[in-house]
Amino acid sequence: MRGKPDTRADDRGQGHTLEAIAAAFLLVASISFALQMTAVTPLSASTSSQHLENQLRFTGAGVLASTAETGGLSGAVRYWNDSNARFHDSPDGGYYTNNPPDNPLGNALNRTFDERNVAYNVYLVYERSNGDTKRTRMIYRGQPTDHAVRASRTVTIMDRDPLIDEDGAVNRTVSVSGADTYFLPDAAPGRPVRNVVRVEVVAWRI
């Protein structure tokens, strides 16, 4: 007579088959997880870089906002030596390079950026008499990197606004309209507004 089928052997075979399938599944899952982790690494670095750039942009905007609230931003635009036709204590080129101006804007930039190894340029953008737009350097520290950020704020300069002396005091005798060499043209002749200036800060980490 034939013996009965060995069901235990069949069970063992099925068990080994299931174990093999489970092991293969775990192997595939592990490889997939490892590949996903590898793919996320560059994205994580990019996200971190974007966070730093956003933080730098907000910081620049904060400097401009705080100095504007106290009048220091307008004062920086009027910090002008009418005898030498340039900003006070600036080199012959007419803009600052190594050291920022000794006024509220320059001091705020120094505390915020210079002490944290952040380079920056400051530009003044305004309208010419013929309607064209001009971009003038106030502070220039070099060519920005590809990751530089920009923050800006506008300030209105009136004809009657006085120039600011080297020591930060208001010039009681010379206004922007009465200055012989003031860089900012009268964009609205016959009106009390001299010009509207956009102060731009371009900052990048070094």
Side-chain angles (χ1 to χ4, degrees):
M1 295 179 62
R2 293 181 179 178
K4 294 182 178 180
D6 190 349
T7 57
R8 290 177 297 176
D10 291 343
D11 291 341
R12 286 196 298 271
Q14 291 177 358
H16 289 314
T17 301
L18 291 175
E19 290 176 0
I21 293 174
F25 176 79
L26 289 175
L27 179 61
V28 172
S30 298
I31 294 173
S32 177
F33 180 77
L35 290 175
Q36 288 179 0
M37 290 299 292
T38 303
V40 168
T41 300
L43 179 60
S44 300
S46 176
T47 302
S48 176
S49 176
Q50 185 63 49
H51 173 73
L52 293 175
E53 290 174 16
N54 289 339
Q55 186 179 48
L56 201 57
R57 183 181 295 105
F58 293 149
T59 301
V63 169
L64 293 174
S66 62
T67 53
E69 289 178 359
T70 60
L73 196 60
S74 173
V77 177
R78 294 179 284 119
Y79 192 62
W80 186 257
N81 186 330
D82 198 35
S83 299
N84 294 331
R86 59 176 183 259
F87 291 106
H88 289 293
D89 298 325
S90 64
D92 291 338
Y95 53 85
Y96 303 92
T97 53
N98 295 325
N99 298 315
D102 186 16
N103 56 32
L105 176 61
N107 294 334
L109 290 169
N110 181 61
R111 290 192 305 269
T112 305
F113 291 139
D114 285 275
E115 298 177 1
R116 300 179 183 178
N117 294 323
V118 174
Y120 58 89
N121 296 331
V122 178
Y123 303 94
L124 305 177
V125 184
Y126 51 89
E127 185 178 325
R128 288 176 168 177
S129 301
N130 61 5
D132 293 340
T133 299
K134 183 175 177 60
R135 196 165 186 252
T136 298
R137 294 173 178 175
M138 174 184 277
I139 303 173
Y140 189 75
R141 296 289 186 78
Q143 182 65 32
T145 67
D146 293 338
H147 299 287
V149 300
R150 186 186 309 272
S152 65
R153 191 177 182 94
T154 58
V155 58
T156 301
I157 304 299
M158 309 296 290
D159 285 330
R160 66 175 184 275
D161 287 341
L163 296 182
I164 303 299
D165 291 335
E166 183 178 0
D167 60 359
V170 173
N171 190 312
R172 300 293 182 183
T173 59
V174 183
S175 65
V176 296
S177 62
D180 295 326
T181 66
Y182 190 53
F183 76 99
L184 196 60
D186 189 356
R191 300 178 61 185
V193 175
R194 176 79 173 191
N195 215 312
V196 177
V197 183
R198 184 170 76 248
V199 183
E200 294 182 351
V201 174
V202 178
W204 65 97
R205 294 188 179 276
I206 55 177

